[in-house]
Structure formats: structure tokens, C-alpha cells
Amino acid sequence: MLALLVSLALAYPGYEDLIPNGHNVPDPCNPGGVWPGVGHNKVRGTGDRNAFGEAFAAEGHTWTTALCNADSDNDGVSNGVELGDPHCHWSVDKPTHLGKATSHPGICEPIGSTRCAWQHFMCH
């Protein structure tokens, strides 16, 4: 029980509210599933941060135009497009202009493709 509580505390669920579609980011390892720990390499948000998590932290845990336009996972698609905010209009105060999140901004997809061969991430 204690391990579960520590795991949940480390995931910082409130961060999901600070990015567009934060509660609906697709899980690239489980089609149809979601990845609640968006800024981490583990689905539940524990352990090492992925590139998006590092970039989000560098922006003060704020969805900025720079973070929106960046391609944190180097898959050729901006974070904003991946999270359903292609025009970078979304904000915590005005959560509008959102499409559906189409992919994960911190994991190069498709996993195992030539474009993502540099990535050491593996689905577990």
C-alpha cells in the first residue's frame, strides 16, 4: 500500500491539467489506452523524465507557445499537434480550440521506426 501511495505521489497528477488533453494522451504501447505520466518514460509517471517532461519543467511547468511549437521527441510532429493544440491557443485559463490528442509528445513514434531508431525507449 505504501509503495502505491509513493508511486501516485511521484506522478504529480495535477500536471495533467497544465497541458492540453493531459488526461487523454495516447499510450503508444497500448493502442486505445492513455498515458497519465506524460512527462515520464513510465506510463504511471514515475522514474526518469522523457524529453517532453524535461522541456515542460524547463518552461516552469507551463504550456507556452515555445513548448507547443517544439518537437520534444524529434518525431517530426510538434508537441501542440500531438496534444491537439496545433495553433497553440490552449491555456489553463481558456481551455478552448482543442482537437484530439493524436500521439505522445515525449516518445518518438512510431516506436521502432527508422525515424525513431535513436530512441532507447521500449514498451514494457
Side-chain angles (χ1 to χ4, degrees):
M1 182 69 153
L2 180 59
L4 175 62
L5 291 175
V6 169
S7 174
L8 291 174
L10 293 175
Y12 297 106
Y15 287 159
E16 293 174 331
D17 296 330
L18 302 179
I19 61 172
N21 287 308
H23 294 275
N24 297 304
V25 176
D27 180 343
C29 299
N30 179 22
V34 296
W35 192 283
V38 179
H40 294 271
N41 288 322
K42 292 184 180 178
V43 69
R44 294 287 170 223
T46 60
D48 295 334
R49 289 180 184 154
N50 57 41
F52 178 78
E54 292 292 336
F56 182 59
E59 292 293 319
H61 300 107
T62 302
W63 184 247
T64 64
T65 301
L67 182 60
C68 178
N69 286 318
D71 177 14
S72 295
D73 56 11
N74 294 310
D75 62 1
V77 183
S78 74
N79 297 332
V81 169
E82 290 188 281
L83 293 176
D85 185 22
H87 303 293
C88 304
H89 292 170
W90 185 91
S91 72
V92 172
D93 297 332
K94 294 182 181 180
T96 59
H97 306 288
L98 274 185
K100 183 178 178 182
T102 58
S103 54
H104 194 299
I107 299 173
C108 187
E109 298 173 67
I111 296 169
S113 67
T114 303
R115 177 180 289 237
C116 300
W118 61 270
Q119 180 174 250
H120 299 291
F121 176 82
M122 299 291 293
C123 292
H124 295 69

